[in-house]
Amino acid sequence: MASPAQGPDTAVPYTALILAGRRGSDDPLAAATGAPHRALLDVAGTPMLARVVSALEACDRVSGLTVSIDARELLAGVPELAARLDTGRLSVLDSESSPSR
């Protein structure tokens, strides 16, 4: 591993952790748009979380993707994410009560 003075080791692949929890179950933006979860809000035809996953998949230094979300069952209803879950290209970690937990 490289020392801090040398910077990160570019040969080491990283697993990206995507934080997609909510501050509470009553999200006015999600409610106003009809989205079941804020991370699944539609932006120009694509759920926000799917956009983040696609962007990270395009990074050659990212070898794995994990999403931390409080409603994993909702991911199965998003084709772009369900396919990645089925193939193991995306894993899920249940959110805790705060990002630090």
Side-chain angles (χ1 to χ4, degrees):
M1 186 163 151
S3 72
Q6 295 173 321
D9 184 347
T10 58
V12 176
Y14 296 93
T15 297
L17 175 61
I18 305 163
L19 301 178
R22 322 180 238 207
R23 293 187 176 113
S25 60
D26 184 28
D27 185 314
L29 187 56
T33 61
H37 192 287
R38 184 181 202 108
L40 301 179
L41 284 169
D42 183 75
V43 176
T46 303
M48 287 193 309
L49 182 56
R51 289 179 175 280
V52 173
V53 168
S54 293
L56 288 168
E57 280 181 328
C59 297
D60 59 356
R61 292 178 59 191
V62 175
S63 64
L65 297 171
T66 299
V67 62
S68 177
I69 192 164
D70 60 310
R72 73 170 48 223
E73 68 279 0
L74 295 176
L75 301 180
V78 180
E80 300 96 322
L81 300 174
R84 290 172 172 97
L85 289 168
D86 291 343
T87 62
R89 292 181 6 227
L90 178 65
S91 62
V92 179
L93 178 65
D94 292 325
S95 293
E96 294 290 338
S97 60
S98 73
S100 63
R101 291 189 178 168

